[in-house]
């Protein structure tokens, strides 16, 4: 069974930065793709960043220039760096991983980001 755990959420001020981490069973390099989503209050879940086989990276237009997804070999995580925090960044952030073997997706329980002055 694949387990996925997000961490790094918390309270931050507008203009500040946060670094979220995603940990999955085994090595994060053993998955075909890893994605970060956010779900703002009262809204649907939104895909914000993807990293997949071949180090192909993509971002939602709404977060380009502020969000960075990367694999951290030392920590065995896929991280999401969020800079210049805006009120709309307040959300629950979810990590999803896609297996190499059967291309199924597995989800974490989410980590809460709160943006407040």
């Amino acid at each position: 069974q694949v387990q996925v755990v997000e961490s790094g959420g918390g309270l931050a001020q507008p203009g500040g930065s946060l670094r979220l981490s995603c940990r999955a069973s085994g090595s994060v390099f053993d998955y075909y793709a890893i994605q970060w989503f956010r779900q703002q209050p009262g809204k649907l879940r939104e895909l914000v960043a993807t990293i997949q086989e071949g180090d192909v990276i993509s971002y939602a237009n709404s977060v380009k220039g502020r969000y960075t997804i990367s694999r951290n070999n030392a920590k065995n995580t896929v991280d999401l760096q969020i800079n210049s925090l805006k009120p709309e960044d307040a959300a629950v952030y979810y990590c999803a991983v896609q297996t190499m073997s059967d291309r199924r997706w597995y989800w974490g329980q989410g980590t809460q980001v709160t943006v407040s002055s």
Side-chain angles (χ1 to χ4, degrees), residues 3-39:
Q3 290 188 310
V4 181
V5 180
E6 305 94 338
S7 62
L11 177 64
Q13 295 183 339
S17 298
L18 281 176
R19 191 175 187 89
L20 310 181
S21 295
C22 176
R23 178 75 167 88
S25 301
S27 172
V28 296
F29 293 93
D30 293 337
Y31 293 93
Y32 183 77
I34 300 180
Q35 298 183 316
W36 279 99
F37 294 78
R38 70 182 182 188
Q39 187 165 21

Side-chain angles (χ1 to χ4, degrees), residues 4 10 16 26 45-46 55 60 79 82 85 99 102 106 108 111:
V4 181
R45 192 172 58 202
E46 174 191 20
D55 293 321
D79 296 342
I82 306 175
L85 279 157
T99 60
D102 59 7
Y106 297 87
T111 184

Side-chain angles (χ1 to χ4, degrees), residues 6-83:
E6 305 94 338
S7 62
L11 177 64
Q13 295 183 339
S17 298
L18 281 176
R19 191 175 187 89
L20 310 181
S21 295
C22 176
R23 178 75 167 88
S25 301
S27 172
V28 296
F29 293 93
D30 293 337
Y31 293 93
Y32 183 77
I34 300 180
Q35 298 183 316
W36 279 99
F37 294 78
R38 70 182 182 188
Q39 187 165 21
Q40 299 163 319
K43 297 186 177 182
L44 298 177
R45 192 172 58 202
E46 174 191 20
L47 175 64
V48 296
T50 300
I51 185 167
Q52 65 185 84
E53 183 69 21
D55 293 321
V56 177
I57 293 174
S58 61
Y59 299 98
N61 289 335
S62 59
V63 305
K64 285 182 179 177
R66 298 191 303 111
Y67 285 35
T68 303
I69 188 170
S70 62
R71 299 183 201 264
N72 188 320
N73 186 54
K75 299 194 305 179
N76 190 30
T77 61
V78 168
D79 296 342
L80 185 70
Q81 177 74 29
I82 306 175
N83 295 327

